Structures are given as structure tokens and as C-alpha cells.
């Protein structure tokens, strides 16, 4: 029944064409054919999906410094070797090695109302442990740092500070709701410790009401006591908050044996197709190979990894010889250190490499919506001129916005455009940093469409630059 | 990080405003505020989600003529009564009463290669049974009706015809892949019976490779023998097809006790808010209350039902008094007869009602993409003029296309615009007509955004007509 709709899309495209000079029209027709071929191939090949299955099911969670992270590096290298690229190599980088230790125990205790009940928690990445015996203390709930300051030492000393500001669900883009809440996770422990708190609980970063805690990085500060910090599931956070209203003297027991071990040697994995006309102009497409240690790191960021390699596979399989160099980079240690991204930028600078653009897929393998640019108005205009080629595939949202964490350190190197691949954001924080970020949550076609969209943009960049 | 993006959206909108005359600018500002209020309310209210939970978990599957369908009618009436509308009423309609009977048995037998193995099948809606003993016969596989004709009576007589044309995965919109395959399900039994076949197997209508069969309606013809017809899971279809290549004489055993009972009295459920200025102009928003008997009918079409009622709840809760009449219609019997849709149009015509527009949500509760119009160029132009108000919420695709099955019979009554709500289509056929179309597959926010998008369009239609 959508054939009518196709017709219309064609008409729109046609209209766009009519408005173009003859040369542009020729290019438009050739480019739209190439892009259609990219989509046809991506939607009928199972390679990227099977790659994701292997990464998530055979290797699984792969936190920096873990044996699984090492396995992921070797797997990525082998997959790229099989693509018959011009170059495949590893880039050394020392990464942090934090370990979660025993499964955490979280429990509301001494409650006049419920006695003792379990509350699912997960140590935040980088957090110190509680010691074998764990710690128990009264809980003080806050929604903001201002509120915490007002409470002051006398109300905070010796207590567990419970940061419970929820996502603002009125944001249509869940990423903005995340941005409005994640300061609690990053900055909570230092702010609480400065007032004498003994521990921190942070409401999980999700729009959903769940029993699974969402982990993620936190920070400590030189000269401020490092106190244990954990994420608490949203359902448990709601329960704890309601109990505190009538029973402010209840206590919370938490036990975590997490610790930070010496740094470990690891690698970024890089594969590239040399440009035929301007090999010195480099277009990066990437995602991060590491994941949190819960779940399988499927949407974060297994899909970004296999989509980035799929871009190269599509070009090879379709015989597309890019005029500019196309390089897939599987970054190590995005989650708790960004060492891979920093190292990549450092070496690029040292080598005097010229990066035209860097595209990152690190927002999940969901149905594509567009691209967000950290770059100039002129670069944005050029990207938006390609809308008639991309909109028929649902890539409508092309505007200024975040590029990506791993490609961020490239900023300022020449005129590089940092481009974030933007899938639909609604489901991302249902799974983000949890035990339920698994292969089963990825829809094959949504992920394939993302890879095809990325490949289409890479193709246009390699043909026309920016 | 998307705040920049918001800024840009605002700028785009601003640009659009600048291009408008003063009066239009005033309206634009008021309308964009109203629409923002609609989204804020929809994204922070759990009513529609809890309604869906009740419909799917407390009532469940609700095929026409079943006790659960009757329960759904009474539930729908009660939910709308609680909305304090101007009118809530039931519309009588006689519906078919087909029952599946015992769980079907499907088995590949007499295979030289595997002996006997089970193959998941589901009787197609309306199919006759096989009798208690079931039937077993050799299998002839075809991909098209042309191929079947060529085979002719001599190769088909006494056999089971296996229609195995898969979805064409190169279609970006899965609805078009469905359109390209579903003729096998509807027309297979008649075409096969005309050549003396004793049964029909149809490859399940899905892009995915699964073990669950996808049911759906089939047709018989006066004077052509009614032979049993079942959907077979895609995994089993692949297996059967590969076995047939080396073992063309294997047999398939199928047992189904499905049958059609006498028609049953049922109802469309209708609730409305009278227009303050042009009450005679009616805007319908609807979905269908019945579902197949497998699963819970969550995406098909529980979400359409609760979204339609949510449109009315939002208007009441926000104190929006529509200038034109807004009517939610929960149609009965979309799946196997369309009796509710036909009855509704028949009565509207008899009453001489004037329908301005009818919007149907029957493509799943997925993240919104836009609307497709069965109507005039002038109507399309007017809809597209509202893009600056709708695009910030991801509603980009506004073009000609299918309206909806239930609203279809209204076509030709005056100048009515038939409008299909278009969510993203990638996941729909993973669940469509199966045992796995359950509440758990619906993302709360995606469904809420759909309701908000529908309410925003209804609001604009009620203010400005079409």
C-alpha cells in the first residue's frame, strides 16, 4: 500500500532534481542509484547481524582491561582482515582496569514500615568498595546539588546521600533528559564526600520504571575522600523515597567489593580503504569496542562497532572505490576513561593526518533519524544539501548537535567535522549500561538501516568532501 | 547535548514564522504552545499505558465473537465514560465467529533425510479444519500464482501447496514488503483448490526468521472446495523448502479443528466531544478493538485503541474545546470481516453525517514518523503546511498513502480525508498476528508520542478544518 508513498518520494526527489543544474542532476541520479544499492545490500546481508551476535553472545560484556576486551580486539582485527582492506592495524593504548567484584548487595533496613527489603544496586564505574562487611547508614535524599549544599555538613555527615532527580519525561529526545540528570552520577560522590557523607546512591539513568540498576562512570577528586557510590534501580529509588517520607531514620545497607587495578595494555582496532584521488583526506567511521561489564553491550556499543565495519564491507562488496580514505576505528575504553579516543587523536596529530570528518555511532542500533554535526554552518549547509538523497530513507534530522565521545578529542584538528549518527532515542535508556542490553533487544533491520545510512553519508563525503 | 539541536529546531520554526503573515504568526505561536502542552501531558501521563496493560493482560486476545471481544467492548465503554465526554455509545454490528479449536499440529513426515520433525503452523483465519485425524500429503512449493498455474492439475492434485515467496527485504517500509507477499495468504487456498490441492501452507508474513507462525485472514470462493490453510513459521518454511530440494516426496501432516460458527452480536464503541463552533463537522480518530486470538493484540491494535481514547483524554485534561466534533471510534472486527468499519460508514451515510477527516492508528505503537493521506492534493498541501508545527516531534513523512482498513468504507462520503497514522514500520511484522504481540513489546514513550502526534493533528483539524 505504500507504493503511492514511494511514488510521492520519487516526485519530491524529482522536484529537487529539476531545481538543479545539469551536472548536479547527473550526480544526483548516479548518487541516488549508489545509495539505493547500499541499502539493498545492507538490508539483505546478514554479516553485520551475525557479527553482532558473535560479539555479544560469544564474547559478551567487555569492560576495559578484561579478558573479554582483549578478545573483542582480536575479533575486530580478524573481522576486518576478512574484509580485504588496504590496511588493518592495532593502536596501543593503556586503559584503566576497574573491576566490580562480587555482585553488590543493597538493602533497606531498620524500616518501621517494611523491616528489611532488598534494593537492586550496581557499583558506579570507578567506585571504591565498601569493604567486606559493607556499610549501613541513614539516608538523606536530594534532587539537586543546591539542595545538598543547603542541608550542609550537620545533616549529611555520616549518611548516605541519595540523589533522586528523575529524567524529565517531557523531553522528546531522551538524550536531553539524560543530560539533565547525569550530573548526579558524575558529580555526586565528590559533592557528598565534601559534606562528610559515607556513601552515595544515584537513581538509575532511565525514563523507565525497572528493577535493573544502570551503571556508568563516576568521578573522584584529589584530596576528597573517595566514598562508595552505586546506582539504584528506578523502582527501588521510588520505594526508598516513599519510605523516607514516613520513616526518615531508616537505614540502607550496601556492600560492594569493586576496586581499581593497575592499567592494562589494550588497543584501538583500525581498518581502512585508501582514497583513489585524495588519500590524505581521511573520513573516520567508528564506535567503541569496550562495554560495561553488565549485559552484553549490544546497543552500547556493539551495534556501532558492527555498523562501522559494515560501512567498509558495503564499499568493498559494491565495488565503491572512495576518492578519499575511509577508515573504520573501533575505539577502546569509551565507557570509563576515553583513553582510546584520546590516543587516536594524539597520534593523528603527531602524524599530521588530515581528518575531513569523523562519524560516530554510539546511540544504539535503533531506526535511523539523521545526523548531528559539531562543525561550521558551511559544513551543515553542505550536509543538508544532501537531504533529497537521504530523506527517502528516514534521515530527516540533520542539524547541529553532539558528535560523539570517542571522536571528540579530534576537535580542532584542521577543519574536521564531528558527526553523530542519530537513531531514534526512545528505547536507548531502557537498556543503557544494564544487564538487559542484550542481542535480543536489537532489531536486525533497524541496525542494518543505520549501517546503510552511515555508508551513504560516508560515500557522499568521499565523493564531494565537505 | 541536544539542547543545541532544540535551538536549531526553534530557529527553523522561527524562520517559518517570519515567512508568515501576522495573523498566521499569532496562530503559529498559540498552536505550537498547545502542541507542546499536548506532548508534555502525554509523556507524563500513564493512563494510556495502564489502559493498554489492562486490555492486553486482563482481557488479552479478543477475536470477534469471543467472550474477550465482548469484555473489550464493555471495557472501552467504561474507559470512555470516565473521560466525561459529551456522548459515549455502542453501535450494534453482527460479526463472524471463527474459532481456532485445538492447537494446530504441523509435521514434516516421511523424510528420507530427517524422518519426522515438527513444524509450527497456525490456521489462517476463516480456514476450515482438517478433521480430527488431520491430513497428510506430498508438498509442492511455489513462489507465485503463475508458477502454480504452470504446474497445473497433474502436479497439484491431492497435494499440499506451499506458498513460500518471502518478504522482499529491500523495501525500506516493511508495509510494502507485506503488500508484496500477502496475496499468497488471501488467495492461496482458492487458487490451490481449483487445481485439486487438499491443503495449503503459507510462509508467515514477516521479515524475521522465527519459530512463531503469523496467522491472518484468508478467503474462499463460492463453488470452490474449501481446503484447510495454515501459516507456517519462517524457520520451518526454510527447513521445509531445503528438504524438498533433495526429498521431493516427503509428506506434511497437518491437523486443525478450526471452524466458523454463527455470527454474533457485537459493537463499535464510540465516544465524542461536541464541536463548539461547527459540531456538524466530524473528525474521527480510531483503531480496532478486536485482535487475533494469538498473543495479546498489543501492537495490533491495542495501541491504536488506547491512543484514540488518549486523544480525547488529552483534550479534556488540557481544557481544549475543539471547534469541530472529535469522535473516537473503537472498531470491531477489523481482522476477519471489517464489519465494524462497514457498519460505521453505513450508519454515518444513513444519518447524513459530515465527516471532515478520519485518522486511524493500526500500524503499531512504534515511534511516530508521520501521516499518510488518502485524499486530494489540496488536503495534502494543507497538512504539509503544518509541518513546522509537527516536524519538531519527528513527524516528517506527510504524503499520499494508505488511510486505514476501518475508515476505508467512509471513502467517498463528502470530502472526507482518510489519514493513516504512520509509526516506524521496522518492528511491526516481528509481532503482527502472532503469540508474541504482547504488552512487553510496546515501549511506553513510543506509544505516548504516537498519541500526542495524533492529538496534535486532531487539534489542528478541529481548529482550521481541511
Amino acid at each position: 500500500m505504500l507504493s503511492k508513498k514511494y511514488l510521492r518520494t520519487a516526485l519530491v526527489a524529482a522536484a529537487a532534481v529539476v531545481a538543479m543544474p545539469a551536472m548536479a542532476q547527473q550526480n544526483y541520479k548516479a548518487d541516488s542509484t549508489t545509495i539505493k544499492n547500499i541499502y539493498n545490500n545492507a538490508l539483505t546481508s546478514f554479516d553485520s547481524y551475525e557479527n553482532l551476535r558473535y560479539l555479544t553472545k560469544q564474547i559478551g560484556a567487555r569492560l576495559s582491561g578484561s579478558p573479554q576486551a582483549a578478545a573483542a580486539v582480536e575479533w575486530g582485527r580478524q573481522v576486518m582482515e576478512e574484509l580485504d582492506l588496504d590496511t588493518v592495524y592495532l593502536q596501543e593504548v593503556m586503559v584503566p582496569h576497574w573491576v566490580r567484584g562480587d555482585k553488590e548487595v543493597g538493602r533497606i533496613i531498620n524500616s518501621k514500615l517494611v523491616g528489611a527489603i532488598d534494593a537492586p544496586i550496581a557499583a558506579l564505574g570507578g567506585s571504591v568498595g565498601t569493604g567486606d562487611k559493607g556499610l549501613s547508614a541513614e539516608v538523606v535524599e536530594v534532587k539537586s546539588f543546591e539542595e545538598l549544599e543547603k542541608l550542609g555538613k550537620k545533616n549529611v555527615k555520616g549518611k548516605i546521600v541519595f540523589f533522586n532527580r528523575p529524567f524529565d519525561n517531557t523531553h522528546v529526545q531522551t538524550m536531553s533528559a539524560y543530560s539533565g540528570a547525569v550530573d548526579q552520577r558524575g558529580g555526586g560522590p565528590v559533592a557528598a564526600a565534601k559534606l562528610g557523607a559515607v556513601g552515595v546512591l544515584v537513581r538509575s539513568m532511565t525514563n523507565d520504571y525497572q528493577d535493573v540498576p544502570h551503571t556508568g562512570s563516576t568521578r573522584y577528586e584529589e584530596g576528597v575522600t573517595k566514598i562508595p557510590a552505586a546506582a539504584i534501580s528506578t523502582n527501588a529509588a521510588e520505594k526508598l523515597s516513599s519510605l523516607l517520607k514516613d520513616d526518615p531514620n531508616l537505614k540502607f545497607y550496601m556492600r560492594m567489593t569493586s576496586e581499581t587495578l593497575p592499567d592494562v595494555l589494550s588497543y584501538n582496532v583500525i581498518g581502512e580503504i585508501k582514497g583513489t584521488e585524495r588519500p590524505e583526506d581521511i573520513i573516520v567511521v567508528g564506535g567503541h569496542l569496550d562495554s560495561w561489564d553488565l549485559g552484553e553491550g549490544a546497543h552500547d556499543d556493539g551495534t556501532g562497532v558492527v555498523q562501522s565495519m559494515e560501512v567498509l564491507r558495503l564499499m568493498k562488496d559494491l565495488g565503491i572505490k572512495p576518492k578519499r580514505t575511509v577508515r573504520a576505528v573501533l575505539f577502546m575504553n569509551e565507557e570509563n576513561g576515553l583513553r582510546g579516543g584520546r590516543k587516536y587523536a594524539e597520534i593523528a596529530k603527531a602524524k599530521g593526518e588530515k581528518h575531513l570528518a569523523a562519524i560516530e555511532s554510539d546511540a544504539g542500533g535503533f531506526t535511523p533519524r539523521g545526523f548531528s554535526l559539531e562543525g561550521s554552518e558551511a559544513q551543515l549547509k553542505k550536509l543538508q544539501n544532501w537531504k533529497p538523497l537521504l530523506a527517502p530513507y528516514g534521515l530527516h534530522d540533520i542539524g547541529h548537535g553532539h558528535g560523539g565521545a570517542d571522536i571528540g578529542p579530534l576537535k580542532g584538528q584542521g577543519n574536521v567535522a564531528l558527526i553523530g549518527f542519530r537513531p531514534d532515542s526512545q528505547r536507548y535508556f531502557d537498556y543503557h549500561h544494564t544487564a538487559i542490553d542484550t542481542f535480543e533487544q536489537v532489531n536486525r533491520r533497524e541496525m542494518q538501516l543505520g549501517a546503510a545510512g552511515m555508508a551513504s553519508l560516508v560515500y557522499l563525503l568521499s565523493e564531494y568532501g565537505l
Side-chain angles (χ1 to χ4, degrees), chain A:
Chain A
M1 57 175 134
L2 290 213
S3 49
K4 284 186 202 159
K5 189 167 178 183
Y6 274 132
L7 178 59
R8 190 171 166 286
T9 304
L11 291 174
V12 169
V17 174
V18 173
M20 300 176 188
M23 184 53 196
Q25 281 196 37
Q26 251 178 19
N27 290 345
Y28 176 86
K29 284 172 191 162
D31 293 338
S32 59
T33 302
T34 301
I35 289 171
K36 178 59 179 158
N37 292 338
I38 288 171
Y39 275 86
N40 288 352
N41 189 313
L43 286 167
T44 51
S45 162
F46 283 68
D47 291 11
S48 59
Y49 192 60
E50 290 310 313
N51 284 340
L52 182 67
R53 188 194 305 272
Y54 191 97
L55 179 61
T56 54
K57 294 299 182 188
Q58 301 304 311
I59 296 175
R62 47 201 178 275
L63 187 57
S64 295
S66 68
Q68 292 76 15
V73 166
E74 179 53 16
W75 165 83
R77 191 189 67 75
Q78 290 181 18
V79 172
M80 291 223 261
E81 285 291 355
E82 283 163 18
L83 292 179
D84 184 30
L85 306 174
D86 297 320
T87 335
V88 176
Y89 61 99
L90 303 182
Q91 195 169 63
E92 292 192 354
V93 54
M94 295 300 293
V95 298
H97 187 199
W98 177 82
V99 293
R100 184 170 301 280
D102 308 340
K103 178 155 180 44
E104 303 85 342
V105 179
R107 191 172 293 139
I108 297 168
I109 58 175
N110 302 17
S111 164
K112 294 183 309 218
L113 305 162
V114 297
I117 53 172
D118 288 336
I121 63 168
L124 293 183
S127 175
V128 296
T130 57
D132 268 358
K133 291 209 178 54
L135 74 87
S136 58
E138 289 187 354
V139 178
V140 54
E141 174 179 352
V142 297
K143 292 277 170 59
S144 70
F145 291 101
E146 298 63 35
E147 205 182 324
L148 180 65
E149 285 311 313
K150 284 213 191 72
L151 287 171
K153 275 208 168 79
K154 68 180 188 307
N155 297 302
V156 173
K157 195 167 190 322
K159 295 186 178 168
I160 292 170
V161 175
F162 170 33
F163 291 89
N164 194 32
R165 183 182 352 130
F167 270 28
D168 176 354
N169 277 321
T170 64
H171 287 291
V172 172
Q173 303 297 339
T174 62
M175 295 292 177
S176 346
Y178 178 66
S179 306
V182 72
D183 59 332
Q184 302 173 99
R185 193 187 74 203
V190 167
K194 283 179 173 171
L195 297 174
V198 295
V200 163
L201 290 171
V202 180
R203 181 191 180 94
S204 284
M205 297 292 140
T206 176
N207 309 81
D208 202 2
Y209 290 83
Q210 308 174 317
D211 294 322
V212 290
H214 293 232
T215 190
S217 282
T218 191
R219 291 186 305 273
Y220 291 125
E221 215 172 84
E222 229 11 69
V224 180
T225 316
K226 296 179 176 180
I227 58 175
I232 181 169
S233 77
T234 43
N235 284 340
E238 292 288 305
K239 183 75 182 171
L240 177 57
S241 180
S242 70
L243 286 172
L244 283 168
K245 284 176 182 53
D246 303 321
D247 190 3
N249 301 117
L250 63 76
K251 289 187 168 179
F252 195 90
Y253 171 78
M254 57 199 287
R255 180 181 185 277
M256 316 188 324
T257 60
S258 49
E259 60 180 323
T260 299
L261 306 175
D263 286 1
V264 170
L265 175 63
S266 188
Y267 307 88
N268 294 324
V269 183
I270 300 175
E272 75 181 33
I273 302 173
K274 276 253 170 302
T276 54
E277 294 186 10
R278 296 165 165 241
E280 69 282 6
D281 289 1
I282 299 166
I283 301 160
V284 162
V285 59
H288 62 85
L289 204 45
D290 63 306
S291 79
W292 280 106
D293 55 327
L294 309 169
E296 298 168 1
H299 280 292
D300 187 12
D301 183 26
T303 51
V305 164
V306 299
Q307 285 171 324
S308 299
M309 295 192 292
E310 178 73 352
V311 169
L312 299 186
R313 188 199 66 78
L314 286 164
M315 294 193 129
K316 295 292 290 189
D317 203 42
L318 292 167
I320 297 172
K321 301 198 184 317
K323 292 179 179 165
R324 295 163 171 86
T325 293
V326 178
R327 178 185 289 175
V329 182
L330 315 184
F331 295 95
M332 180 51 65
N333 186 229
E334 189 272 346
E335 295 295 4
N336 58 336
L338 210 65
R339 301 270 187 95
R342 293 212 184 90
K343 174 64 70 172
Y344 179 83
E346 177 190 314
I347 291 176
K349 189 169 192 176
K351 284 186 179 172
E353 288 183 334
K354 181 185 165 205
H355 283 74
L356 177 74
I359 303 168
E360 180 157 0
S361 171
D362 185 22
F366 304 101
T367 200
R369 288 295 205 162
F371 299 97
S372 53
L373 171 73
E374 267 180 77
S376 68
E377 279 305 324
Q379 289 170 327
L380 182 61
K381 202 158 176 354
K382 185 130 188 190
L383 287 181
Q384 290 178 333
N385 286 342
W386 289 327
K387 267 198 183 185
L389 289 162
L390 301 173
Y393 301 95
L395 298 163
H396 292 283
D397 298 331
I398 300 177
H400 284 300
H402 184 63
D406 297 291
I407 58 177
L410 282 171
K411 194 165 188 168
Q413 286 193 25
N415 221 345
V416 62
L418 305 180
I419 301 173
F421 165 62
R422 289 279 152 254
D424 194 77
S425 74
Q426 299 311 318
R427 288 166 283 155
Y428 191 52
F429 293 100
D430 294 357
Y431 311 121
H432 187 243
H433 296 182
T434 68
I436 58 174
D437 182 9
T438 58
F439 179 73
E440 292 70 19
Q441 308 305 335
V442 178
N443 174 279
R444 188 187 84 242
R445 285 179 55 85
E446 291 190 330
M447 189 198 63
Q448 289 169 328
L449 286 169
M454 290 158 64
S456 301
L457 180 59
V458 166
Y459 162 73
L460 291 169
L461 288 166
S462 71
E463 282 291 298
Y464 305 109
L466 202 61

